[in-house]
Amino acid sequence: MASLAHGLIMDLDIFLAVITTATEVGNTRPSQSLPEKVARIHDVQFYCLTSSAWDDFSSSQDSLVNPENMGTVPSRDAFSQPLNSNAVFEHPCMPLTKILSSGSFYYALDAPWDPSSRLAVRLSRDSRVQNDIGIFDEGFVWNEYIIRSLLDFRERLDLHERQELDRCQFIVLAIQGYVGVSTMALPAPPVNGAPVIASLSLISRLGWKRAGTRFNTRGVDDDGNTANFVETETILSTDQHSVSYTQVRGSVPLFWEQQGIQTFGQRIQITRPQASQPAFERHFAHLIEEYGATHAINLLGTKENEATLTAAYAKHLYQARGIWGDQLSISHYDFHNAVRVGGHDSIVREFGHLEDIADHMDHFGFTLTDTSTGERITEQNGVFRTNCLDCLDRTNFVQDILSRKAIEQFLGLVHREWLQANILWAHHRELWAENGDALSRIYAGTGALNTSFTRTGKRTLAGVLSDATKSVSRAYINNFQDKSKQIAIDMFLGNLNNQTQVNIFDPVHDMVRKTLNERVSEYSSNRPCSVFIGTWNVNGRPPSESLVPWLFPRDSEPDIFVLGFQEIVLLTAQQIVQTDPEKRRVWEHKIMETINGRSKTSGDYVLLRSEQLVGTALLVIVKSELTSVIRNVEGATRKTGLRGISGNKGGVGIRLDYHDTSFCFVTAHLAAGHSNVEERNADFWTITKDCISSKGKRSRATSKCVNEGRDISSRKFRSNIIWLADTNYRIDLPNESVRSLTTERDYDPLIGLDQLRLAIEAGEAFTGYDEGPLLFPPTYKYDVGTDNYDSSEKMRIPAWTDRILFRGSLDLSVYSRAELRGSDHRPVFALFRTEVRMIDTVKRAAISRLLLETTMADIPGGMLEEKIAALALPSNKDDLPAPSSDDLNWWESLEIDKGSLVISPPLLEAALANPFDSPGDSPLSSCPSSDEELYSHAADLPIPIIPEPAMRRGGHVSGL
């Protein structure tokens, strides 16, 4: 057994993940003195450390559970239900068990070498840290979140204690992807006639920073991470040389999605066409920094959607070449068309001979090392980045070709007699076929297409039928099973709100973090930000008048425009089933023309993101210079019509981070009808749950908007939420009274019986939200084109249906309506002023180090070791249980409630008390704060304490 993680907190329980079954894959470089063996994980069990409730409830069992509930961890209280209950329970870690036991995770066996880093990186490290498990590529270690606290604890141990901990393999670093090793005897060289034993290894490392399933995760994020990013390394090792060749794959690095039910016609939406360049450049900046010159190989076809992506890809790369010049280039190769014309054989024959590809193959080279000395003879100085739509089938086929070409280059220099060694290329084909299947199962749920040709070099009828079956299976899995798998992935990576990292009690660092939070003003600054919010129910009509009175009611140019529309299309039965984006695009064009067409504008605006649910649409428009500092832009929708089936009613949310401040915008169209107040209240809570605070990949960043009390060290600790919606709340007064009071501009009696205000006061909806004063007439309902309220047979009662509500650090300066007559509603707008916080991470790290040094050096009232030595039982020792004896353990005398120990208040107080609390005049609070003092004071600090070796018994660290 080996521990995969120190612990994971789920619903206040702490679990330990243990690898129970694993098999050795092989030694990737058998000629080395220290083996580089890899094991494949097959079974993982989660053991609860805080409760016995799950002892007899296996985390690996199969149970029927609604995927919609996977984001909610079941409570132990559920087990108090009667035995004849029909409820089905699930171990809270069962989704994680399914992910970790899928056969796609690997770890280093025996010697602590680093399988997360390619050979060239490992060789470049100092020999003293080459086998340190604390040194790894964190972009490929999937369980880094759940072992982070233990790695930090390990870092603070002395060298001998650290080595003892490493030897027991309590900490395991797991990568996901594929590892394959083949050993073979190659023809003897002409010198001595003895055959050479060679090892061919293939290691694919899947990145986790934009992890997810096929239709849930596409494109790039604001930090430049792409979906399905994989680094694949081919290693050929003999007793004389080791050659390594690295390639990468990844989704097209633009903001694009595929929404709705997907079959075989790919509906692609480029969600931020005008604001992708910063993220695009961040992605290639990382590649060039990590691998050197980068040549992109785009295998997308000429079909409408793929052609759209190709055109956008080429445009962005052309602009990025202004930064990197010849270090960044691209080749477009229509894979499907080439297969139609000449078959797969033609690609194998021709691809490596394409001029651009061949030139870069020669230029990039490969990494070659001397096995006996470990010295690098040559180093790979560039990388091919290959993509198709999913970066699976076509990509794997082409990468197989490039891998073979690289090995042929090496053999042409060292072992020309092996170029015709069929056994070598048979193993190479098999490894790449297995690699394609493994990566495809992770991302799409089935094995890869074209692997029959990869294995045999022939296209057979059986292979064609197999590919057709896989395509059908993918469509089903991706549409109906991947949602629950996505939630499980996010659970593993720590993206769900009900998860907390295990906190190893560390009073010194806890004190430093607390003080650092209190001194946030020293390492951060604020900048002003203005936001325009507008909402309008346009009654299915296109723009017919100037929008300037609505968008520019004051002589100001806000940093951000946020516009919500309702009934942007007529709510017909056809529209409810299939959203029509054309009407939204007409409005987008008119709005951008209006904003950028103003003569006084100080800079261009770009459409950052738009999202639509049938007739409800949300647009976020920002100044172009802000696109580089706005990140994590995500959208979510929620239907509420016909109890969640229809999209005629519902909400749309978009969230973003502007520097280190979060904004969440929600537009909605709530239930209609004068008396349907409860339905409107229910719609609010449904949209809040699914568009703001829901869990899962698509909305996990959005959910951070409403997390209160987040640690100040978190990048997103400030959040603002704004609703701009047709709320449909009415006024509970007779029609004649409302119209009369409106004519007289006597709004107070109307506000007193406004259904929304009453719902807020009763805590039934919009709890905690503020709204500006209603100093303008009701916005609903007018005869179109006039200033007359509804004169039809229904004679609807005027009401303030169109509202803007907010919570957060927002200063409302204007709240009014515009007199546009193109709809039966009047548009409403609000102007907000706020400040966004910018964290200076370098200065924050410097202050953190200084605080730690100050704390470790000397604390008023005694040295740190004296405080540790003085740590004793609380004064009320009589309330503590008796010590354990040979016959009875102390915890057995405590009360047990549903499998959990019930800790008495004195014990609990003793546990929660921090004996390291400092007095008010602690050096932490009086530490230098100016930049000059900050960076010069460290030299004057007293000499830190030299930790003494811990007492050990029987060769094990005492207390572990």
Side-chain angles (χ1 to χ4, degrees):
M1 287 189 181
S3 170
L4 184 68
H6 173 64
L8 183 69
I9 297 179
M10 300 290 289
D11 196 28
L12 302 182
D13 282 334
I14 299 178
F15 291 87
L16 180 72
V18 177
I19 300 171
T20 56
T21 306
T23 58
E24 180 179 336
V25 175
N27 191 347
T28 59
R29 289 205 301 157
S31 57
Q32 297 300 300
S33 56
L34 291 177
E36 296 183 357
K37 295 181 180 179
V38 178
R40 182 183 183 185
I41 298 172
H42 293 291
D43 292 299
V44 173
Q45 290 287 328
F46 285 83
Y47 297 93
C48 187
L49 304 182
T50 53
S51 169
S52 62
W54 306 108
D55 287 358
D56 299 319
F57 199 65
S58 173
S59 63
S60 62
Q61 72 177 24
D62 292 327
S63 57
L64 299 176
V65 180
N66 185 351
E68 298 287 345
N69 297 329
M70 287 189 64
T72 303
V73 178
S75 169
R76 295 194 306 268
D77 294 339
F79 286 89
S80 63
Q81 300 183 33
L83 294 177
N84 60 357
S85 171
N86 293 325
V88 179
F89 298 104
E90 178 185 89
H91 191 286
C93 298
M94 200 267 282
L96 296 181
T97 304
K98 289 184 176 181
I99 293 290
L100 289 168
S101 303
S102 63
S104 61
F105 286 89
Y106 301 83
Y107 68 99
L109 194 63
D110 298 330
W113 71 285
D114 174 25
S116 70
S117 301
R118 62 191 186 277
L119 178 60
V121 172
R122 300 200 306 273
L123 293 176
S124 67
R125 294 171 181 161
D126 190 295
S127 59
R128 292 171 294 180
V129 300
Q130 282 189 1
N131 294 320
D132 186 342
I133 69 167
I135 308 297
F136 56 88
D137 190 327
E138 60 94 19
F140 296 122
V141 174
W142 277 65
N143 61 325
E144 192 268 346
Y145 165 76
I146 54 180
I147 63 172
R148 172 44 55 195
S149 57
L150 190 59
L151 288 173
D152 292 341
F153 170 79
R154 173 189 175 277
E155 190 66 24
R156 295 190 291 271
L157 298 177
D158 63 42
L159 179 61
H160 184 68
E161 292 172 327
R162 193 180 306 169
Q163 291 173 344
E164 287 188 347
L165 179 61
D166 292 347
R167 273 196 293 271
C168 68
Q169 281 196 294
F170 185 70
I171 307 173
V172 171
L173 306 179
I175 65 171
Q176 187 177 29
Y178 171 75
V179 179
V181 179
S182 293
T183 302
M184 68 208 77
L186 294 176
V191 180
N192 56 18
V196 175
I197 304 301
S199 173
L200 181 65
S201 304
L202 192 64
I203 305 175
S204 281
R205 307 172 180 97
L206 177 64
W208 61 263
K209 292 187 177 181
R210 186 161 173 76
T213 53
R214 188 182 179 203
F215 288 144
N216 290 295
T217 311
R218 315 307 292 263
V220 72
D221 66 15
D222 285 283
D223 293 320
N225 305 305
T226 59
N228 204 22
F229 181 81
V230 183
E231 175 190 273
T232 302
E233 181 181 20
T234 306
I235 302 175
L236 178 63
S237 182
T238 69
D239 58 353
Q240 292 183 324
H241 300 100
S242 290
V243 59
S244 164
Y245 183 70
T246 302
Q247 306 175 68
V248 296
R249 68 177 74 185
S251 186
V252 176
L254 303 171
F255 295 102
W256 61 281
E257 296 178 351
Q258 289 173 286
Q259 298 180 350
I261 300 296
Q262 301 292 324
T263 53
F264 303 104
Q266 309 295 344
R267 293 176 296 167
I268 295 173
Q269 177 188 7
I270 300 179
T271 57
R272 294 161 63 182
Q274 299 174 325
S276 295
Q277 196 67 35
F280 184 91
E281 291 172 1
R282 289 185 190 107
H283 174 71
F284 280 102
H286 168 73
L287 293 185
I288 292 172
E289 179 183 3
E290 182 69 23
Y291 303 102
T294 301
H295 185 77
I297 301 176
N298 174 42
L299 304 177
L300 293 175
T302 56
K303 291 190 292 187
E304 178 182 356
N305 285 314
E306 293 194 0
T308 300
L309 270 181
T310 294
Y313 196 175
K315 176 183 176 182
H316 282 73
L317 193 135
Y318 176 77
Q319 296 182 32
R321 289 198 67 180
I323 302 174
W324 294 291
D326 293 338
Q327 283 192 294
L328 179 61
S329 54
I330 192 169
S331 293
H332 298 286
Y333 185 82
D334 189 340
F335 185 95
H336 285 327
N337 184 63
V339 170
R340 281 193 297 269
V341 173
H344 289 81
D345 292 329
S346 66
I347 299 178
V348 176
R349 291 192 306 269
E350 300 170 4
F351 192 84
H353 300 291
L354 297 175
E355 184 177 355
D356 277 353
I357 305 299
D359 288 347
H360 283 93
M361 283 289 299
D362 293 336
H363 175 66
F364 292 163
F366 46 79
T367 297
L368 179 63
T369 64
D370 186 304
T371 300
S372 59
T373 63
E375 295 181 358
R376 279 177 292 178
I377 301 172
T378 64
E379 185 171 358
Q380 184 175 340
N381 53 18
V383 71
F384 285 104
R385 183 202 190 277
T386 310
N387 75 272
C388 50
L389 191 64
D390 301 314
C391 302
L392 296 176
D393 314 315
R394 289 173 276 181
T395 296
N396 199 74
F397 193 95
V398 167
Q399 287 194 331
D400 175 17
I401 298 172
L402 296 176
S403 174
R404 175 164 178 159
K405 291 294 182 185
I407 294 177
E408 288 176 345
Q409 279 186 339
F410 162 70
L411 297 181
L413 298 173
V414 180
H415 290 285
R416 297 188 63 86
E417 67 274 15
W418 292 351
L419 286 171
Q420 305 303 320
N422 291 331
I423 186 173
L424 172 61
W425 304 122
H427 281 287
H428 186 272
R429 288 196 302 268
E430 183 64 25
L431 287 175
W432 273 97
E434 292 290 335
N435 179 72
D437 283 340
L439 297 179
S440 181
R441 278 191 291 268
I442 294 171
Y443 192 55
T446 72
L449 310 182
N450 303 322
T451 52
S452 62
F453 185 91
T454 302
R455 284 187 169 91
T456 64
K458 299 177 182 179
R459 189 67 169 164
T460 64
L461 177 61
V464 173
L465 294 176
S466 175
D467 288 349
T469 302
K470 291 174 183 176
S471 296
V472 174
S473 298
R474 279 185 183 180
Y476 176 80
I477 292 170
N478 298 159
N479 285 300
F480 302 108
Q481 294 183 356
D482 277 355
K483 181 178 180 181
S484 57
K485 183 179 178 181
Q486 181 69 63
I487 295 174
I489 292 172
D490 288 328
M491 185 187 298
F492 184 31
L493 298 176
N495 293 325
L496 303 185
N497 287 335
N498 60 346
Q499 292 177 270
T500 306
Q501 274 190 316
V502 174
N503 181 30
I504 299 178
F505 185 57
D506 186 350
V508 174
H509 289 81
D510 289 346
M511 188 190 308
V512 169
R513 283 193 295 268
K514 179 181 178 182
T515 307
L516 195 63
N517 295 344
E518 295 170 351
R519 298 176 56 168
V520 62
S521 61
E522 298 177 25
Y523 55 84
S524 69
S525 59
N526 297 331
R527 65 170 293 174
C529 171
S530 57
V531 183
F532 175 93
I533 304 293
T535 180
W536 193 8
N537 185 318
V538 296
N539 195 28
R541 299 171 183 271
S544 59
E545 54 195 319
S546 172
L547 301 180
V548 171
W550 180 38
L551 301 178
F552 296 97
R554 302 290 187 273
D555 189 17
S556 63
E557 296 178 358
D559 297 305
I560 303 174
F561 282 91
V562 182
L563 305 176
F565 293 93
Q566 304 80 42
E567 296 189 35
I568 203 167
V569 299
L570 293 175
L571 300 181
T572 63
Q574 181 180 0
Q575 288 286 355
I576 293 173
V577 175
Q578 180 68 45
T579 298
D580 179 11
E582 291 304 319
K583 298 291 181 64
R584 187 193 77 234
R585 291 178 182 141
V586 171
W587 277 98
E588 288 175 358
H589 177 76
K590 177 67 174 179
I591 289 167
M592 296 306 300
E593 184 181 64
T594 301
I595 293 176
N596 285 326
R598 297 191 73 227
S599 58
K600 294 183 179 181
T601 184
S602 58
D604 291 336
Y605 287 82
V606 297
L607 178 62
L608 182 73
R609 175 73 187 253
S610 63
E611 195 81 14
Q612 182 178 358
L613 172 66
V614 186
T616 305
L618 185 60
L619 281 60
V620 178
I621 301 163
V622 304
K623 288 183 175 179
S624 57
E625 64 264 26
L626 300 183
T627 56
S628 61
V629 295
I630 293 179
R631 299 191 178 189
N632 300 318
V633 183
E634 297 191 19
T637 62
R638 182 58 163 98
K639 300 175 183 178
T640 59
L642 299 178
R643 297 187 177 182
I645 299 175
S646 170
N648 63 315
K649 295 293 188 289
V652 178
I654 293 178
R655 69 158 308 279
L656 57 88
D657 292 330
Y658 181 6
H659 284 296
D660 295 284
T661 299
S662 292
F663 291 88
C664 183
F665 308 106
V666 182
T667 190
H669 197 185
L670 305 185
H674 188 98
S675 61
N676 291 333
V677 178
E678 292 184 3
E679 287 82 351
R680 287 188 277 276
N681 295 343
D683 287 353
F684 164 77
W685 292 112
T686 298
I687 295 169
T688 296
K689 176 179 179 294
D690 287 352
C691 285
I692 298 180
S693 58
S694 61
K695 304 169 180 62
K697 174 68 176 178
R698 286 186 53 75
S699 56
R700 73 181 189 275
T702 305
S703 67
K704 296 173 184 175
C705 292
V706 293
N707 286 350
E708 300 297 335
R710 294 182 63 84
D711 190 283
I712 203 73
S713 62
S714 171
R715 188 167 54 88
K716 309 172 188 65
F717 62 89
R718 284 190 172 188
S719 60
N720 303 285
I721 310 173
I722 303 177
W723 279 70
L724 48 152
D726 180 354
T727 65
N728 258 323
Y729 286 97
R730 310 303 172 86
I731 299 173
D732 288 332
L733 277 175
N735 200 337
E736 294 182 359
S737 299
V738 173
R739 293 182 183 236
S740 174
L741 291 169
T742 299
T743 302
E744 298 171 3
R745 294 187 173 273
D746 185 3
Y747 302 138
D748 288 344
L750 304 180
I751 296 172
L753 291 173
D754 173 66
Q755 292 176 349
L756 177 54
R757 292 292 178 94
L758 295 174
I760 294 175
E761 292 172 2
E764 296 171 348
F766 291 96
T767 306
Y769 283 85
D770 295 319
E771 184 183 18
L774 294 172
L775 304 178
F776 49 88
T779 57
Y780 168 88
K781 175 184 184 187
Y782 286 89
D783 294 334
V784 177
T786 74
D787 292 328
N788 303 321
Y789 284 110
D790 186 19
S791 61
S792 68
E793 294 181 0
K794 294 184 178 180
M795 288 286 288
R796 293 177 177 83
I797 302 174
W800 287 288
T801 58
D802 309 281
R803 312 287 277 270
I804 297 174
L805 301 101
F806 61 96
R807 61 187 297 180
S809 303
L810 296 164
D811 179 17
L812 177 65
S813 58
V814 178
Y815 185 37
S816 187
R817 76 176 205 177
E819 299 306 320
L820 301 184
R821 299 172 177 80
S823 171
D824 55 357
H825 290 246
R826 292 290 190 265
V828 173
F829 63 87
L831 294 176
F832 291 97
R833 298 191 181 280
T834 186
E835 290 186 332
V836 295
R837 176 155 285 170
M838 297 176 289
I839 300 294
D840 185 335
T841 56
V842 175
K843 190 171 184 179
R844 183 184 187 281
I847 295 176
S848 178
R849 287 194 301 271
L850 181 57
L851 292 175
L852 181 61
E853 291 167 353
T854 305
T855 306
M856 295 296 292
D858 189 10
I859 298 179
M863 299 296 289
L864 180 62
E865 67 268 26
E866 295 175 3
K867 289 201 169 187
I868 295 175
L871 180 60
L873 296 175
S875 58
N876 52 348
K877 293 185 289 292
D878 295 338
D879 296 325
L880 297 175
S884 299
S885 65
D886 293 339
D887 301 322
L888 181 67
N889 294 317
W890 69 265
W891 57 85
E892 294 175 355
S893 63
L894 295 179
E895 179 184 354
I896 296 180
D897 179 23
K898 301 171 185 174
S900 295
L901 294 177
V902 179
I903 307 298
S904 62
L907 278 175
L908 189 60
E909 292 172 6
L912 295 178
N914 188 346
F916 296 89
D917 284 339
S918 295
D921 57 350
S922 166
L924 294 177
S925 58
S926 60
C927 187
S929 58
S930 70
D931 289 352
E932 183 177 354
E933 290 179 303
L934 174 63
Y935 295 105
S936 63
H937 181 72
D940 300 328
L941 290 174
I943 299 175
I945 300 170
I946 301 176
E948 297 181 0
M951 297 297 295
R952 298 174 179 83
R953 294 193 300 270
H956 295 282
V957 180
S958 175
L960 285 182

